[in-house]
Amino acid sequence: MTNVRQNDDDELENEDSYYNASDEEDDDDDDDCYIDDSEQDECVDFSVVFPPETFCPVDTNVGAMTTNTPTTAADFRYEFHEDSDVLHTPPESEDEELGHNYPTFKMSDGSIGVQFHKGLTFNNKQQAKEAIKEYAMETMKNIYIKKNEKEFLVAKCDHSGCPFHLRISKRVGNEFWQIVSFIDEHACHRTPRNRQAKTNYLAKKFVSTLRHTPEMKVKGLIALAIEKWGVKLSHDQAYRAKLKAIEIIQGAGRDQFIYLRSYADELRESNRNSTVIIQCDMANVGPIFQRIYVCLEACKAAFAFTCRPLIGLDACFLKGEHGGQLMAAVGQDGNNQMFPIAYAVVEAETKESWQWFLNLLLEDLNNVQPSQYAFISDQQKGLVPAIQNLGNHVEQRLCVKHLRDNWSKKYPGMELKEVFWMAARATTVPAWERAMNRLKAMNEKAWKDMKGVPPAMWTRSHFKLDTQSDLQVNNMCEAFNRSILEYRDKPIITLLEGIKHYITKRIGTQKDLMQRYRGNICPIIQEKLELTKRVADRWQPTWHHDDDFAIFGVTNGTETYIVNLIQKTCTCRKWDLTGIPCCHAIACIWHNKKEPEDYVSSYYRKSTFMATYSHIILPTNGPQLWRISRTAAINPPVVRRAIGRPKKNRNKANDEKKNPPHVLPSDLKTKTCKKCHLMGHNKRTCGGKRAADRLIPKGGNKQKKANKSDTQGTNCASGSGAGGSSAGGFGVQGSDGAATILTQGSQPPPTQDSQT
């Protein structure tokens, strides 16, 4: 067998290439090394073939170990090199003739600065240029590459007369670059400008800072650059570097669509029975992203088995590069807190997109636990008709808060507001009719508008009893939207993974909190029950002598209701709607010397709450382990941008506070003009007048204008009598004392002396 030695330094630097043989070479090696052991005896005694010293060699050169002296790393230096990735050729070895061992440059982690010296080698030209850039920034010197040739680099200092010089050349016959000339002397002073402070470099350096403090302002990055590198950045330069750094942290928004199918496969594989559906539009460039729907197995199973069948629907704007809407379906757990069920990213909020989302949601829930699910939502675009298309049997509620906001724009007033809420909170039909009659007497148009809305959508008196919830506002969806606010400007996969991480963390938090709670009824429900107990003292129950001690009549002297403890009903319908005993029922329960907590619905018990949060979301692997999709890559959606800077803050309603709590509205503050320094108006409404001009009594401006017009009329009459020109000119005193009217741009008339 022939040994072939490679004497080139590039072969030494890339020693791993010896092990990357082609398939043909592997086959040849296998043929040469093939051993036919079919006839060998399996019971061969290897101790006879090989002497004991073969596997237990005795080294006579090693002296006796002293037990008193501790062993250190220096004892192993004779055969150990600290960098196992670099071939170290000790003296007298076979490869000693390969040449000198030059030190190789390695980019430090920041703890040790870049150090140049003659003979230092680089793997390639790009590494050498990166090292020069890092050296210039660390030393705060304005160093630039003066010559960038194919075979060498020359770096100089920007200051004329500075002796600094660095030359890096490519070795002949080798692939590495080496410092052949280096003068590390400077005769220049530090300047706030550095040629190497480029956007890409700054973005990479800002990554570690912005990863922990993404809310850092541009001014903070400018101050950081001055402190770290002595460079004064412009606002635009720091802003561009921040955008690139955030893109590095979050991943490029466009590139994430390429891996969206791989992420969906990983999510389905890690969380079995989860639903992840991607819908695309086909175009000439390939599939274009349109929608994605995610319903995790832990969420849909927990809601279908342990929560009340009332679902809140809402959508919010996404603030990322590609826009879109985030749709969410949110339920309530046993403690009346939100419980996310499913979410989707869609192109826009339309009837079609809502219908697509609802069909997938009901299919998931009915596959787990068939039930008559009810929905509560705002009057959003396309949502109301989409729910109606599900069938007449589906209960649909409107958020009364949003309904009243829209209604109050046409019919404002606190008295109308009170009557509106009285009708909405009425639990019986007669109470609702009395409130509506009162509204009709106050404003018939407002009454007609509310009669046009089906009562089953907004008043408790017409709600169905299947959901055991009297919820009238969509606060659970608003709470969910607020909780994921930090993810709504992220790229698609970062957004989806952030929502999943939030739900996962919330499941653990709620579970730990409830484990430390000692009651049998969830704490928020227990507080409501305690408030109802205080009112129950005012009611007097009367047992009607049934065998089950269940039928009672309850009165407070003016009102009377019927309670059935076995059926858990009361004619006031509060117990029927919520599953929590009303004050009338509590009075009857106390009459039987029992506890009201025993009559609370099982939805509100601690055991049910723990069962809800016993379903956990399993972790997913990172992108390095995702399965490679064989289908065409998904392209990002085409977004039409409006003119101007994109808005990130939503439009607030009329009754929402537009200022922080510590800031008064502008109409309540005393204004001071910055021009005339008087109170009562601002600079914009001052009109350029002086303070003295504004001290005019009421009606003074009109009187002043009238006096001015009278004066002009008098001047016109006198001017025409003197033989002057038109009344639109200017008055000039003549030599005879008479006022002469001059037209603008004309010359004064000649005097008698000039005529003479």
Side-chain angles (χ1 to χ4, degrees), residues 197-271:
K198 304 296 183 181
T199 302
N200 292 332
Y201 175 85
L202 296 172
K204 294 177 183 178
K205 295 300 180 180
F206 288 156
V207 164
S208 58
T209 302
L210 294 175
R211 180 177 282 113
H212 303 289
T213 56
E215 68 279 358
M216 177 178 284
K217 303 295 183 182
V218 175
K219 292 183 179 179
L221 296 177
I222 295 175
L224 179 63
I226 295 175
E227 179 182 357
K228 194 171 183 179
W229 304 298
V231 178
K232 178 65 181 297
L233 304 178
S234 65
H235 186 277
D236 292 342
Q237 189 178 9
Y239 178 75
R240 292 193 301 268
K242 180 181 179 181
L243 289 183
K244 286 203 171 188
I246 293 176
E247 185 175 313
I248 294 173
I249 296 172
Q250 300 175 355
R254 294 179 175 271
D255 295 341
Q256 288 197 8
F257 286 96
I258 301 175
Y259 304 98
L260 191 57
R261 283 199 179 100
S262 300
Y263 172 75
D265 294 338
E266 175 63 26
L267 201 56
R268 296 190 201 100
E269 187 174 351
S270 59
N271 292 266

Side-chain angles (χ1 to χ4, degrees), residues 174-210:
N174 296 275
E175 294 297 329
F176 63 85
W177 292 61
Q178 190 175 32
I179 297 179
V180 296
S181 176
F182 180 51
I183 301 176
D184 191 14
E185 295 180 7
H186 285 276
C188 58
H189 59 277
R190 193 183 74 179
T191 61
R193 179 178 173 272
N194 197 317
R195 290 191 180 188
Q196 304 302 329
K198 304 296 183 181
T199 302
N200 292 332
Y201 175 85
L202 296 172
K204 294 177 183 178
K205 295 300 180 180
F206 288 156
V207 164
S208 58
T209 302
L210 294 175

